[in-house]
Amino acid sequence: MISKTDPVRYYSCDTRPSRNSHITKFHVYDFDNTLFKSPAPNPLLFNEATVGMLTSAEHLATGGWWREVLVLRNLGDGFVEEQKKAWEGYWNEDVVELLRMSLEDEGALTIVMTGRRQELFADILKEMLKSKGLYDELDGLMLRSGDFSNTIEYKTHVLVDVLDAYPDIKEVVLYDDRKSQLNGFQKCLNEYTEAVRPDLISTLVPVFTEPVFLDPKAERLVVEDMLERHNELITKQHNLTPLPKLATSSLRKSTHYTSYTLDYDTKADIISKLVSNLPEVFTEDVIHTFKFQVDHIPIVRGIAGRVLSQKLKESNNQQTWKITHVGRNEDHIAVRVSPADGKEAQTLTTPSILPVASKGKSQVRPPEEFAQIDHWTEVDFDLTFNTTVTGLINFKIIHDGGPLKSKKQKQAAYQQAGIP
């Protein structure tokens, strides 16, 4: 049995020789959206409440999105094909290069540490890191195990154990994409430095990675599979804590908008050009705190009527637009657009607006919020783009059994499940 006096071997999901001499630095790399662009639930595919349910560990008996191996296995062209390509395009190459530099530093103890559960993700993360030529050089791959209540509790526990075991470490460098995690690390290091090692130098590096999503069809199938297994567990009355938040569930589909939609490459091109041409609008603070949309110009809510559908078909459901103005208030940024051919085009708002970015937890905000922007400035550069008319399909998770709201309902459910 490996002792906690050798924490690197103790916490690593694969036993490997320890390095005990000449270690003066400790470099820690997070995996999801730091080293690797991990897919999140697509806010254009699911409504806001459903995204919250999927990403919470409390609403699905399977543990939710971040405990679902199928998410990583269905990324891109699927596990088998992506493994052949070493998941090209999904790595944060700047951070990968920093990791390689850390691995070449003989004085640095270098690990990848993630809050993903070891029993679920050890095998697939090993394969992903091996495909990139990183795994065999690591001093450790740490995945969460044990009874830690959350990710930062686990990570700071490992951090302190490693520092205690390596008294010659003078410098700690941590890379992470989540501000909450970095704040937790900073609090832990401040306390450790004050109490144990006053000369310890720590550097916390925030990482920004653009969001990626599964193919919409694949994502829907993954979520349906998650719900099927969730329902099986609920029916068998296994894994029911906390029971009041769990009920058999299914997906319901509706057409959220009929819109002029932008493909991913067009969206990326527009964001790049807006940021480079309008630095006074897209400041560093905006880039890091606002959530970008640039997905669609809504025509009507729901499904277009027969007359409008016929009119849209006359243009082959295509429309080219030019950006004319940019507008911003405290929480929203949008651009006004007009048809490049000078003709009129029906849209939900007048003038026509393409929502660009918003501040807050939700990545998708109603277009009416952007229409309330008061100050608009004419742009002095040419930017045109193409769109295609589509119905934006929106899915939401429905509790088939209904929510357990009252105290009496909750007590009855617990009693039925045999939970005191």
Side-chain angles (χ1 to χ4, degrees), residues 122-136:
D123 290 340
I124 191 169
L125 291 196
K126 287 179 190 178
E127 292 303 319
M128 295 170 78
L129 289 164
K130 284 178 181 178
S131 74
K132 194 66 174 174
L134 298 170
Y135 180 72
D136 292 335

Side-chain angles (χ1 to χ4, degrees), residues 198-320:
D199 60 342
L200 182 67
I201 299 172
S202 59
T203 303
L204 282 69
V205 182
V207 177
F208 172 77
T209 303
E210 69 271 19
V212 299
F213 307 108
L214 299 179
D215 173 82
K217 182 179 180 179
E219 184 167 352
R220 178 186 172 186
L221 292 174
V222 166
V223 172
E224 287 179 339
D225 188 274
M226 292 169 63
L227 291 177
E228 182 177 345
R229 285 181 284 115
H230 162 85
N231 291 339
E232 289 175 357
L233 289 169
I234 295 299
T235 302
K236 295 177 182 178
Q237 297 181 347
H238 292 320
N239 246 356
L240 290 180
T241 304
L243 184 65
K245 291 186 178 180
L246 302 180
T248 55
S249 305
S250 59
L251 277 183
R252 179 176 295 175
K253 180 176 72 171
S254 64
T255 300
H256 199 42
Y257 291 102
T258 299
S259 297
Y260 295 102
T261 59
L262 292 72
D263 62 30
Y264 183 83
D265 290 339
T266 301
K267 171 180 175 176
D269 183 59
I270 289 175
I271 292 175
S272 175
K273 290 178 179 176
L274 288 177
V275 170
S276 61
N277 282 284
L278 298 167
E280 70 281 6
V281 176
F282 297 93
T283 62
E284 285 296 318
D285 178 64
V286 166
I287 291 172
H288 290 98
T289 61
F290 277 56
K291 297 183 183 298
F292 283 84
Q293 293 184 217
V294 198
D295 298 303
H296 68 116
I297 303 166
I299 304 171
V300 293
R301 290 187 177 275
I303 300 173
R306 185 174 60 181
V307 174
L308 177 57
S309 295
Q310 183 59 40
K311 184 177 180 180
L312 293 171
K313 286 179 181 179
E314 291 173 1
S315 61
N316 295 318
N317 289 322
Q318 305 290 319
Q319 182 66 58
T320 301

Side-chain angles (χ1 to χ4, degrees), residues 391-408:
L392 292 185
I393 302 300
N394 182 276
F395 293 91
K396 60 182 177 180
I397 293 177
I398 300 298
H399 293 314
D400 299 326
L404 301 172
K405 294 181 178 180
S406 71
K407 183 177 180 180
K408 186 176 180 180

Side-chain angles (χ1 to χ4, degrees), residues 347-408:
T347 57
L348 186 64
T349 61
T350 304
S352 303
I353 291 176
L354 171 63
V356 174
S358 60
K359 195 172 186 178
K361 293 182 179 181
S362 175
Q363 187 165 351
V364 178
R365 305 304 306 163
E368 291 86 353
E369 290 188 8
F370 296 87
Q372 293 173 7
I373 296 174
D374 293 325
H375 182 68
W376 296 88
T377 304
E378 189 173 356
V379 300
D380 58 1
F381 55 90
D382 293 327
L383 179 51
T384 60
F385 59 94
N386 297 319
T387 58
T388 302
V389 176
T390 58
L392 292 185
I393 302 300
N394 182 276
F395 293 91
K396 60 182 177 180
I397 293 177
I398 300 298
H399 293 314
D400 299 326
L404 301 172
K405 294 181 178 180
S406 71
K407 183 177 180 180
K408 186 176 180 180

